Amino acid sequence: MYESSIASSRLTVAAVEGFPPEINTLAACNLAGHGFLRAAWYAARAPNSGRTLLVRRGGDGPVLAAIPTIAFGPMIGRGRKVPGSYWPLRSPLFAPDCDVFELAHALDHPAARCLGPVWRVGPARCDDPATTLLIAAAQLANWTVLSRPAGTSWVIDLDAARQRGWPSASTARKLRAAWRKLDDHGAPRWRYVRGTDWDSGALEDLGRVEAESWIARTTDGSGAKFMTPAQRALWSHVLSDPVLAANLSATILMMGDRPVAFSFDLDDGPLQYGIAGSYVEDLKHLGIGKLTNYRAIEDAMADGQSVMDMGVGDTGYKKVMGAVEGYEMADLLFVRSRSAARMLGQAWGEELAPTPATAAIMPNRTNDG
């Protein structure tokens, strides 16, 4: 099929039910440096129906790759997807020394049937080395990779912001004026939640804000993070992991005992992802959303973070806050059958062409099963 840098007999490839502890081992040291991709992060959406493809060197050797999946799409299609919160990203885990040929062998192994005939990874960072490795290995293993754009993420260089002084003097004056206006409506204060401070009451406060926000008034609520008991239960599962609880934080604006706005964020090494934020509609005119966004960035700077990733899309406020376009994201579909890939491509997106280096060693694409 292709020349491998190692003998396949030196690899152990296994399909494991659930989300094994080896995931946490890789989360602590992986190619892309995503420390938040832990077992509890993957398991939150379907703790009892996961399957993980594990790849080791030797029977008891180090773990090279973990690809956790849950069911995706109609049951008849037997599709799978890498789970996790939609933002900031979804990705399998690979060891820093995982070889493209080793991963290709694993994806061509009979145990890889646990991935189903079609499996999804997305949204994924296009500049992520884990994404690059996975695509190249899958193509070598005769999978077709379909891709559709998932937007451009907006980022703030916090190190540069510290050097030039942030926020600007004029913005700081406006923020102080907005804060003074809040005094006429109650007793404003900031509440900061992280680590052992997380409890059901904190999640309920975030849900109370969403229930009084535009998302409850104008949508079916499926895009909320905390509004329903089921949504809060998902995050409660994530926060049961002390490592994730320490990396997740909420900056909450309180008016007396009433939560009125929040920013929900995730630390990932020197980078902080903005996962969600909302504010109550009746106080929107007081700029509570802007106050909370700026406060969250101030908190990130105080914590020593280097980059604030504000996510995909900009309605204007991100650029005003100093964000610039950072990187592209894509939604990837891995399809075993070439004929199925041709049909799915019409709805999903174009097939990714092999890179020049990969194309030189690509097998003949004869699998049409």
Side-chain angles (χ1 to χ4, degrees):
M1 188 180 94
Y2 46 78
E3 293 294 328
S4 176
S5 60
I6 64 165
S8 63
S9 60
R10 292 173 55 190
L11 285 182
T12 299
V13 186
V16 179
E17 291 298 315
F19 305 92
E22 287 87 348
I23 289 174
N24 290 347
T25 302
L26 272 183
C29 180
N30 64 83
L31 177 64
H34 297 313
F36 69 93
L37 293 176
R38 294 172 60 82
W41 183 269
Y42 290 118
R45 292 190 176 272
N48 300 316
S49 65
R51 292 200 299 261
T52 301
L53 185 70
L54 278 183
V55 186
R56 294 179 182 273
R57 285 200 184 104
D60 297 316
V63 180
L64 291 178
I67 306 179
T69 64
I70 60 174
F72 167 58
M75 291 298 293
I76 193 172
R78 296 181 293 116
R80 311 285 293 178
K81 69 177 180 179
V82 173
S85 176
Y86 193 72
W87 297 120
L89 55 86
R90 290 177 179 152
S91 175
L93 288 166
F94 307 116
D97 61 342
C98 183
D99 181 272
V100 66
F101 296 107
E102 293 174 313
L103 185 55
H105 170 74
L107 292 174
D108 195 46
H109 192 277
R113 292 171 185 164
C114 74
L115 299 174
V118 179
W119 52 290
R120 173 189 180 187
V121 179
R125 285 186 62 152
C126 295
D127 65 348
D128 195 319
T131 303
T132 303
L133 174 65
L134 177 62
I135 291 171
Q139 291 173 331
L140 281 173
N142 219 21
W143 292 84
T144 299
V145 185
L146 306 177
S147 177
R148 65 184 181 191
T152 304
S153 196
W154 288 73
V155 299
I156 298 176
D157 184 334
L158 299 181
D159 291 333
R162 287 188 191 91
Q163 292 180 1
R164 66 174 179 265
W166 191 96
S168 66
S170 61
T171 298
R173 284 195 299 271
K174 293 176 182 176
L175 293 172
R176 288 194 295 269
W179 186 263
R180 287 193 294 269
K181 290 180 181 179
L182 292 182
D183 286 329
D184 298 331
H185 294 77
R189 61 184 174 89
W190 293 109
R191 181 184 175 197
Y192 191 62
V193 182
R194 184 191 288 274
T196 57
D197 296 328
W198 282 111
D199 57 21
S200 59
L203 294 175
E204 288 169 3
D205 278 350
L206 303 185
R208 287 174 60 190
V209 175
E210 288 185 330
E212 298 180 55
S213 72
W214 66 271
I215 199 167
R217 180 176 58 83
T218 63
T219 76
D220 62 3
S222 60
K225 296 291 189 294
F226 310 99
M227 196 161 63
T228 69
Q231 290 167 339
R232 293 193 293 274
L234 184 155
W235 288 106
S236 182
H237 185 98
V238 171
L239 292 163
S240 67
D241 181 333
V243 174
L244 292 174
N247 289 342
L248 287 162
S249 64
T251 301
I252 308 174
L253 177 57
M254 305 289 297
M255 298 292 289
D257 293 329
R258 181 192 182 195
V260 297
F262 73 83
S263 178
F264 181 63
D265 304 295
L266 168 69
D267 289 352
D268 190 23
L271 190 151
Q272 181 163 304
Y273 291 104
I275 294 182
S278 196
Y279 52 82
V280 300
E281 287 242 69
D282 62 301
L283 298 180
K284 175 183 177 181
H285 64 287
L286 296 175
I288 55 176
K290 180 178 181 179
L291 281 167
T292 305
N293 286 333
Y294 273 87
R295 179 68 181 207
I297 293 175
E298 290 174 9
D299 289 341
M301 294 176 70
D303 289 341
Q305 302 300 105
S306 295
V307 177
M308 170 64 86
D309 189 327
M310 303 186 75
V312 168
D314 176 42
T315 56
Y317 80 95
K318 295 178 184 178
K319 187 180 297 184
V320 170
M321 294 178 70
V324 298
E325 292 185 345
Y327 55 86
E328 299 301 314
M329 301 196 78
D331 221 341
L332 304 174
L333 206 63
F334 297 77
V335 188
R336 172 59 79 183
S337 163
R338 291 289 290 167
S339 57
R342 286 192 290 270
M343 291 186 293
L344 288 169
Q346 298 176 26
W348 191 270
E350 63 182 13
E351 176 183 351
L352 292 181
T355 64
T358 305
I361 53 176
M362 283 284 290
N364 293 327
R365 304 302 300 272
T366 58
N367 182 4
D368 200 41

